[in-house]
Amino acid sequence: MFNSESMNDNMLVQKFIDGDQLALEELVNRHKNRVFTYVVLIVKNHQLAEDIFQDTFIKVIRSLKTGKYTENGKFVSWVLRIAHNLIIDHFRKEKLLSTTSNDDTEIDLFNSQRYSDENIEDRLVGDQITEDVRNLIDLLPDDQKQVIIMRHYMGLSFKEISKHTDVSINTALGRMRYALINLRKLIEKNNLSLTKI
């Protein structure tokens, strides 16, 4: 029996990779509160947070077993990044699946100008613009990418962003400013048109 408390995360990761299940248990116990709190603060739903939390550690285990963990000394940051990506995936899927029901309103939505004006071509152009912007966001530095995703895809306030990323509100605002400046440069550099013709 090893004394897990005297071991750092990387030692425990190595022990788990070498086949010691107790090392993984210790890693999960050591970081579960921080990871779960992070997830629940963003998704604001306890049941969903539990699902994403479980999926996070399933992905962690798979990645460790297949040798995909290389970030020495940053285990918890790596786990939080996995959780963060799963949260984004969830919101993306939810956005794709969300449909408007005609039963929720007295106005007949399907006879509304808003829904009939946009033809399939407009929608395809709009989808292409969204995809182009998403690809450009991926080119931004991690801290700028994170603040854009949290603000525009997850709808968090700058106060919430500063809390989740452990920085001041001014730093979060600064990162957003630089992200938008860099996005503008990337749009010009790639000659992208962000308007429907």
Side-chain angles (χ1 to χ4, degrees):
M1 181 70 191
F2 64 90
N3 179 9
S4 59
E5 286 172 24
S6 65
M7 293 189 166
N8 66 29
D9 288 351
N10 275 2
M11 294 162 135
L12 290 169
V13 164
Q14 198 48 59
K15 280 193 89 61
F16 172 68
I17 291 167
D18 294 341
D20 192 329
Q21 294 299 316
L22 289 173
L24 178 73
E25 239 174 81
E26 174 60 29
L27 279 167
V28 173
N29 287 334
R30 195 175 277 188
H31 300 297
K32 65 182 180 189
N33 288 344
R34 185 172 172 189
V35 176
F36 186 76
T37 303
Y38 175 77
V39 175
V40 87
L41 278 170
I42 295 175
V43 301
K44 296 177 173 65
N45 174 316
H46 208 271
Q47 185 59 55
L48 175 60
E50 280 179 7
D51 292 345
I52 290 173
F53 176 79
Q54 284 179 356
D55 289 347
T56 299
F57 277 97
I58 288 167
K59 203 160 184 183
V60 164
I61 292 164
R62 279 197 197 124
S63 299
L64 290 176
K65 283 185 172 174
T66 54
K68 286 180 185 165
Y69 173 71
T70 54
E71 300 193 31
N72 296 333
K74 296 178 186 167
F75 177 76
V76 72
S77 303
W78 176 69
V79 174
L80 287 170
R81 197 166 328 125
I82 289 173
H84 186 77
N85 290 338
L86 287 170
I87 291 166
I88 291 166
D89 289 346
H90 167 78
F91 280 110
R92 267 202 210 127
K93 275 186 208 139
E94 200 178 58
K95 226 171 189 176
L96 288 172
L97 294 173
S98 69
T99 54
T100 309
S101 167
N102 212 22
D103 303 332
D104 295 341
T105 175
E106 290 171 17
I107 306 157
D108 189 356
L109 293 174
F110 299 104
N111 287 328
S112 160
Q113 285 288 139
R114 197 173 130 221
Y115 289 97
S116 60
D117 274 359
E118 187 177 55
N119 62 28
I120 193 75
E121 191 181 350
D122 287 341
R123 204 170 310 141
L124 287 172
V125 171
D127 291 348
Q128 187 58 55
I129 290 169
T130 304
E131 193 183 329
D132 288 343
V133 170
R134 191 68 192 88
N135 290 336
L136 292 181
I137 289 169
D138 284 336
L139 300 174
L140 294 172
D142 281 348
D143 56 348
Q144 293 174 21
K145 187 194 319 184
Q146 187 180 39
V147 77
I148 284 234
I149 287 168
M150 287 178 138
R151 183 81 184 111
H152 290 288
Y153 290 84
M154 294 158 75
L156 299 187
S157 69
F158 282 104
K159 188 179 179 184
E160 290 169 315
I161 292 168
S162 73
K163 204 159 142 191
H164 293 318
T165 54
D166 277 335
V167 297
S168 69
I169 290 180
N170 282 343
T171 302
L173 286 165
R175 286 177 180 175
M176 176 60 94
R177 200 174 131 255
Y178 285 118
L180 294 174
I181 289 167
N182 287 331
L183 264 182
R184 207 166 290 132
K185 286 179 187 167
L186 285 166
I187 288 163
E188 285 167 15
K189 185 181 164 192
N190 290 280
N191 236 345
L192 288 179
S193 168
L194 299 187
T195 52
K196 295 179 188 179
I197 298 158

